[in-house]
């Protein structure tokens, strides 16, 4: 019984942590969308900023990966 | 479904208690191995790149850049030459055209002269021929009159003889001459 | 309208597939099994020098780098063939990135950054071969890569700029009262760099491969309707090909950004 409850907590926690991945997806979408909006306003400046775009996406995504990692740790490692 | 998932988790947990924990990434017993081989791989790649690959590719790129620059200069040269050649060609063409025009005009004049001469000659010949013909015609005409006179004389003599008279030649001739005059 | 019918039909197929799936097929998915490190020649003792599947796939990555950059460029052709074009493209890509992001004086670190990029990109792509082992999905590997970058950058920063390197944490454009707080935040973010740097790569690769494995498990369970997960696997695989390159690119460009911070720490 006790083990079952612990496992329940594990799985629920993993599911909750996985929400973070979705949040990161929103963040990445924001970065890409705003880049596109800016690029359409000033297409000539867009090419020079793709590196910045990828850096922004990488930072936004890293936090989602953290939450995914927490979910994985709860599922398999605890 | 829930029991299946639980089975999966249990399976993973079982694996964890077996050789490796649930997440192989957190199996610290393999870290030394991975790090050792990673460092070996990185050192090998670094040596390959810095000793062989990168200098070679840089050389190839530089060589290509040089070749392209040279080729561009050569192309510029050739282009200038081509323009020059085109100008020369156009000039030669214009010259040739003028020359041809001149030769044509000359030839035309020559032919015209020859033609005129030939026409004059022909006219002259025609006139001569016509005069000659006229003369011949007159001769023939005279000849014919003479013949008519002779035939008339002969006929008159024959007629007179047939009528039983003997005609005087001079009288007959005078009569014929008188009749044929008219 | 057609879309609605399509999705309705799709939902029907999925539901009927779940209902009529063979009863004995269980969802026994082990998405993490593909990451287990095993000795190549039997035995279960893994010491630091044991040749394992890590060794094999890293050696293949080295061989791939060698084949692309050394064998590919061996003809030194002025008009490049296919392989040589790719090699030159990779060279130009990373060279330009280092020059643009890290600056002119970062160019002398180009071979080092090229090494990181080529290793990561080749390991990622080799990991996409079905049944292969992905070395970059292991935290141990990416942590070493990130730690190398972190140590290099930190030592380089102090050697080049001395104590001025600490100006990186002292935001001189902020109001004086805020500066200590910002310094603490900057310090934390500086030390989180290697963590996010390594976990981003390993996490992305691991997540993609685990997702593929989970869908593969669905395909095994759905019987005749397994074409649906197989379709999904195809789509995810295409995404993973993109991710494999982008993560290598991101790792490299972040290395360049950190390098720029070390060379020109002024905020």
């Amino acid at each position: 019984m006790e083990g079952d409850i612990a496992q329940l907590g594990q799985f629920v926690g993993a599911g909750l942590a996985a929400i973070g991945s979705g949040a990161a997806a929103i963040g990445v979408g924001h970065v890409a969308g705003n880049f596109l909006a800016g690029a359409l306003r000033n297409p000539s400046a867009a090419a020079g900023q793709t590196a910045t775009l990828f850096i922004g996406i990488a930072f936004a995504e890293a936090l989602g990966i953290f939450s995914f990692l927490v979910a994985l740790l709860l599922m398999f490692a605890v | 479904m829930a029991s299946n998932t639980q089975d999966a988790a249990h399976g993973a947990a079982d694996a964890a208690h077996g050789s490796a924990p649930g997440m192989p990434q957190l199996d610290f017993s393999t870290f030394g191995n991975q790090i050792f081989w990673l460092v070996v791989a990185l050192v090998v790649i670094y040596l390959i790149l810095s000793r062989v690959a990168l200098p070679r590719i840089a050389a190839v790129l530089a060589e290509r850049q040089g070749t392209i620059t040279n080729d561009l200069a050569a192309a510029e040269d050739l282009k200038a030459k081509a323009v020059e050649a085109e100008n020369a060609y156009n000039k030669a063409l214009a010259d040739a055209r003028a020359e041809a025009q001149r030769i044509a005009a000359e030839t035309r004049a020559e032919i015209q002269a020859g033609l005129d001469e030939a026409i004059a000659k022909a006219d002259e010949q025609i006139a001569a021929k016509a005069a000659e013909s006229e003369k011949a015609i007159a001769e023939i005409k005279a000849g014919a009159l003479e013949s008519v006179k002779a035939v008339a004389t002969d006929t008159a003599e024959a007629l007179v003889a047939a009528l039983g008279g003997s005609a005087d030649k001079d009288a007959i001739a005078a009569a014929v001459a008188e009749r044929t005059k008219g | 309208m057609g879309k609605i019918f399509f999705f309705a039909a799709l939902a029907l197929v999925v539901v009927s597939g779940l209902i009529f799936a063979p009863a004995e097929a269980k969802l026994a998915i082990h998405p993490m099994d593909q990451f287990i490190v095993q000795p190549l020649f039997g035995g279960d003792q893994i010491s630091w020098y044991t040749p394992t599947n890590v060794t094999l796939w890293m050696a293949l990555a080295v061989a791939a780098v060698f084949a692309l950059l050394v064998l590919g460029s061996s003809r030194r052709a002025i008009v490049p063939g296919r392989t040589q074009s790719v090699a030159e493209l990779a060279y130009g890509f990373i060279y330009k990135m280092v020059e643009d992001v890290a600056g002119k004086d970062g160019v002398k670190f180009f071979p080092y950054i090229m090494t990181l990029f080529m290793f990561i990109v080749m390991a990622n792509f080799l990991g996409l071969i079905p049944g292969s082992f992905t070395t970059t999905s292991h935290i141990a590997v990416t942590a070493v890569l990130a730690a190398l970058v972190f140590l290099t950058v930190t030592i380089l920063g102090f050697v080049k700029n001395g104590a001025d390197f600490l100006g990186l944490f002292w935001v001189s454009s902020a109001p004086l009262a805020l500066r200590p707080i910002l310094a603490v935040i900057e310090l934390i973010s500086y030390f989180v760099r290697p963590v996010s740097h390594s976990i981003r790569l390993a996490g992305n690769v691991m997540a993609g491969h685990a997702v593929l494995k989970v869908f593969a498990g669905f395909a095994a369970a759905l019987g005749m309707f397994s074409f649906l997960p197989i379709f999904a696997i195809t789509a995810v695989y295409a995404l993973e090909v993109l991710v494999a390159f982008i993560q290598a690119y991101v790792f490299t460009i972040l290395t360049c950004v950190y390098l720029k911070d070390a060379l020109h720490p002024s905020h």
Side-chain angles (χ1 to χ4, degrees), chain A residues 19-32 60:
Chain A
I19 294 173
S21 306
I26 296 174
V28 172
H30 258 292
V31 174

Side-chain angles (χ1 to χ4, degrees), chain B residues 5-177:
Chain B
T5 322
Q6 238 175 15
D7 282 351
H10 278 308
D14 289 346
H17 294 305
S19 57
M23 261 177 83
Q25 278 87 347
L26 296 180
D27 181 2
F28 293 102
S29 66
T30 65
F31 271 31
N33 183 272
Q34 294 188 50
I35 292 169
F36 169 66
W37 288 114
L38 171 68
V39 171
V40 170
L42 286 182
V43 168
V44 171
I45 294 180
Y46 182 79
L47 290 179
I48 290 174
L49 289 190
S50 61
R51 291 290 149 83
V52 187
L54 298 187
R56 184 189 288 174
I57 295 177
V60 169
L61 288 178
E63 197 180 333
R64 177 170 316 143
Q65 200 56 47
T67 312
I68 288 172
T69 314
N70 285 346
D71 283 2
L72 278 182
E76 205 64 39
D77 239 34
L78 288 176
K79 202 176 163 191
K81 266 184 195 158
V83 168
E84 208 170 281
E86 199 191 347
N87 286 342
Y89 167 78
N90 280 341
K91 193 167 169 294
L93 199 66
D95 284 359
R97 209 166 269 155
E99 180 76 8
Q101 217 99 31
R102 198 181 56 72
I103 289 173
E106 222 165 71
T107 314
R108 203 174 291 136
E110 226 164 74
I111 289 171
Q112 195 63 44
L115 203 62
D116 287 351
E117 197 178 310
I119 288 170
K121 211 187 216 171
D123 280 353
E124 202 172 287
Q125 273 175 1
I126 288 167
K129 270 268 168 65
E132 209 168 283
S133 305
E134 239 154 77
K135 204 170 125 203
I137 288 168
E139 247 166 51
I140 289 167
K141 222 183 196 172
L145 272 178
E146 208 66 23
S147 305
V148 168
K149 216 176 271 183
V151 169
T153 312
D154 284 354
T155 312
E157 258 177 31
L159 277 173
V160 171
L163 291 171
S166 97
D168 182 15
K169 275 197 181 193
D170 290 338
I172 288 171
V176 167

Side-chain angles (χ1 to χ4, degrees), chain C residues 125-141:
Chain C
F125 278 142
L126 284 173
L128 283 172
I129 298 171
S132 70
F133 175 83
T134 320
T135 48
T136 41
S137 69
H138 275 261
I139 309 272
V141 171

Side-chain angles (χ1 to χ4, degrees), chain A residues 3-36:
Chain A
D4 283 352
I5 289 178
Q7 205 170 36
L8 176 78
Q10 249 183 19
F11 287 163
V12 170
L16 287 176
I19 294 173
S21 306
I26 296 174
V28 172
H30 258 292
V31 174
N34 282 332
F35 175 80
L36 192 62

Side-chain angles (χ1 to χ4, degrees), chain C residues 1 32 37 51-53 58 62 81 97 104-105 120 124 136 139 167 173 176-177 203 214 221-222 228 239 243:
Chain C
M1 215 40 202
M32 306 312 274
V37 178
T52 54
N53 46 4
M58 279 185 183
V62 173
M97 188 198 294
K104 283 270 181 213
D105 39 355
I120 294 171
N124 282 354
T136 41
I139 309 272
S173 58
L176 193 61
V214 168
L222 281 185
L228 286 170
L239 180 71
V243 165

